[in-house]
Amino acid sequence: QVQLVESGGGLVQSGGSLRLSCAASGNILSIPVMGWYRQAPGKERELVATITSSETTNYSDSVKGRFTISRDSAKSTAALEMNHLRPEDTAVYYCNAQVTVLYKMTRRTTTYWGQGTQVTVSS
C-alpha cells in the first residue's frame, strides 16, 4: 500500500559528497518519522539519521557533523546530504519511515523500508 523509493546512490572518491533522496507514495495520512539506515557486507544494519514531523533530528555518532537529514512533509520526501565521505561509509543505504494510513475506517501506523541504494566510497 505504501512504497518508499531511494535514489542518488553511486560511486564517489573519499572526501566527496553525495545526496540521497527518498520518496514515499500511497494512501498516506502522515509520516511521524523518516530516516536512513545502512548495511555494509558482513555487518548489522545500523541507524544513520532520523527526522520527525516536528523536524527533530537524530544522528549516529559516526556521521554527526558530516551528514544532514531533511524532509519535505508536503511532498512526503526525505533527503540525506552526505559530505566528507569515507571508505567506511560504503554500504547499502535504506530509507525507513513510520507511515500512518487509513485502512477502511481505521488509522494504522506501520514501518516501511525502501529497497536500498548502493553508496561506494573509494580511496
Side-chain angles (χ1 to χ4, degrees):
Q1 188 171 342
V2 174
Q3 184 179 40
L4 303 180
V5 179
E6 303 101 330
S7 62
L11 174 64
V12 298
Q13 290 187 324
S14 181
S17 298
L18 209 58
R19 185 178 187 273
L20 305 182
S21 296
C22 175
S25 61
N27 189 23
I28 299 170
L29 295 178
S30 65
I31 306 178
V33 183
M34 297 189 77
W36 292 91
Y37 292 72
R38 67 186 182 186
Q39 187 168 22
K43 294 185 177 181
E44 299 288 327
R45 186 173 299 186
E46 64 175 356
L47 170 74
V48 177
T50 61
I51 184 167
T52 70
S53 58
S54 61
E55 306 293 330
T56 299
T57 59
N58 181 48
Y59 295 92
S60 167
D61 287 341
S62 63
V63 307
K64 196 173 300 180
R66 299 188 298 122
F67 293 8
T68 302
I69 188 170
S70 61
R71 67 182 286 167
D72 185 339
S73 294
K75 298 180 179 180
S76 298
T77 60
L80 184 69
E81 187 72 36
M82 304 183 293
N83 300 309
H84 307 290
L85 284 162
R86 307 164 181 168
E88 51 263 43
D89 294 318
T90 296
V92 177
Y93 285 70
Y94 296 91
C95 182
N96 171 271
Q98 288 290 117
V99 182
T100 301
V101 302
L102 182 63
Y103 180 72
K104 296 185 178 180
M105 299 299 292
T106 303
R107 296 171 66 93
R108 296 170 54 193
T109 301
T110 306
T111 299
Y112 291 90
W113 292 91
Q115 293 184 339
T117 185
Q118 177 71 48
V119 172
T120 303
V121 184
S122 65
S123 60

